[in-house]
Amino acid sequence: MPETETSPTAAAPVGRRERKKAATRQAIADAALRLFLARGYDDVGIREIADAADVSTTTLFKHFPVKEALVFDEESDQEARLLSAVRDRPAGQSIPAALREHALRLRVAIPDADGRFSAFTDLIEKTPALRDYVQAMWLRHTDALARVIAEESGLPDGDPACAALAHFALEAPRTAHGHDDPRAAIGRAFDLLENGWTAVASGSPRRAGSAGRAPAPGAAQG
């Protein structure tokens, strides 16, 4: 690339530092998760995690300010994926349906070959501190999601219905706690949101965009 050809010495050290930081962060997170899965979240201490990752506790806290953060991937594109679930939903799919699919992908364990994902979700389910932390992480996207819902629905920015749908859609995964069938529990919560949103969307200036994405031009109409 042109910038590396003109200033190779300036770019290379920055790249190495960032790679080293990323590798250290990953090593800490891997060590923490390994210990949490083996013995339980509450029975593992910060110093023990630091020792397992061969770093100081000071270094650990530079990457993870609180113990709960060790469990979760807080990559910057988490919010982008959430908003994309609404913006890029298939033709004819409603906003609540798109958010339901996204929630199920992220918050409900699916059968996996080695059982690691199931063990991870089980760890969160059985640890109140982790359940609360992941929910707080999730809810921080409420305002951005409400704005995208408004854009997609033809409603004004700040519309209370969009804010309510965003909030309750992000809260809905909590309904899975304590249920034998988390998928069904989340589905029931989103059924309620779907029905309420349909009533709101019927009065939207752009009805097709609010209830469900309009079919592509030329698509067959039923």
Side-chain angles (χ1 to χ4, degrees):
M1 296 176 65
E3 57 270 27
T4 57
E5 291 173 2
T6 56
S7 55
T9 57
V14 173
R16 283 197 296 270
R17 283 198 298 270
E18 292 307 312
R19 287 195 298 272
K20 184 176 180 180
K21 285 171 60 178
T24 299
R25 178 183 173 87
Q26 190 63 55
I28 295 169
D30 288 346
L33 186 57
R34 184 169 61 250
L35 290 169
F36 292 154
L37 291 176
R39 296 188 4 233
Y41 176 82
D42 292 325
D43 292 332
V44 177
I46 291 295
R47 183 173 294 280
E48 186 176 2
I49 296 167
D51 289 344
D54 195 24
V55 299
S56 67
T57 54
T58 300
T59 296
L60 184 151
F61 281 121
K62 285 181 180 178
H63 291 275
F64 300 95
V66 295
K67 184 180 178 183
E68 292 86 352
L70 287 159
V71 179
F72 301 103
D73 179 7
E74 296 190 71
E75 59 189 14
S76 59
D77 63 352
Q78 183 183 66
E79 184 173 282
R81 290 195 299 269
L82 170 67
L83 304 185
S84 178
V86 175
R87 288 186 175 125
D88 301 331
R89 67 194 188 280
Q93 185 179 54
S94 70
I95 292 173
L99 291 170
R100 179 201 318 245
E101 287 188 2
H102 187 70
L104 289 172
R105 283 196 302 270
L106 292 182
R107 303 294 289 274
V108 179
I110 57 176
D112 51 317
D114 59 7
R116 284 179 58 83
F117 185 63
S118 296
F120 175 74
T121 55
D122 191 53
L123 172 70
I124 297 171
E125 176 69 12
K126 292 180 177 178
T127 311
L130 295 181
R131 289 201 311 269
D132 291 343
Y133 185 79
V134 73
Q135 195 63 20
M137 282 177 55
W138 204 221
L139 289 174
R140 74 181 184 220
H141 306 306
T142 300
D143 290 344
L145 179 58
R147 285 193 296 271
V148 169
I149 291 172
E151 292 169 8
E152 290 289 304
S153 305
L155 293 169
D157 188 24
D159 186 280
C162 299
L165 177 59
H167 177 81
F168 289 119
L170 295 175
E171 278 280 12
R174 270 190 190 270
T175 60
H177 176 56
H179 283 267
D180 293 334
D181 189 344
R183 181 173 291 272
I186 291 175
R188 287 281 289 165
F190 273 97
D191 285 344
L192 179 63
L193 297 181
E194 180 81 63
N195 291 334
W197 183 247
T198 299
V200 170
S202 65
S204 166
R206 193 177 63 190
R207 182 172 180 177
S210 55
R213 182 174 295 282
Q221 302 293 315

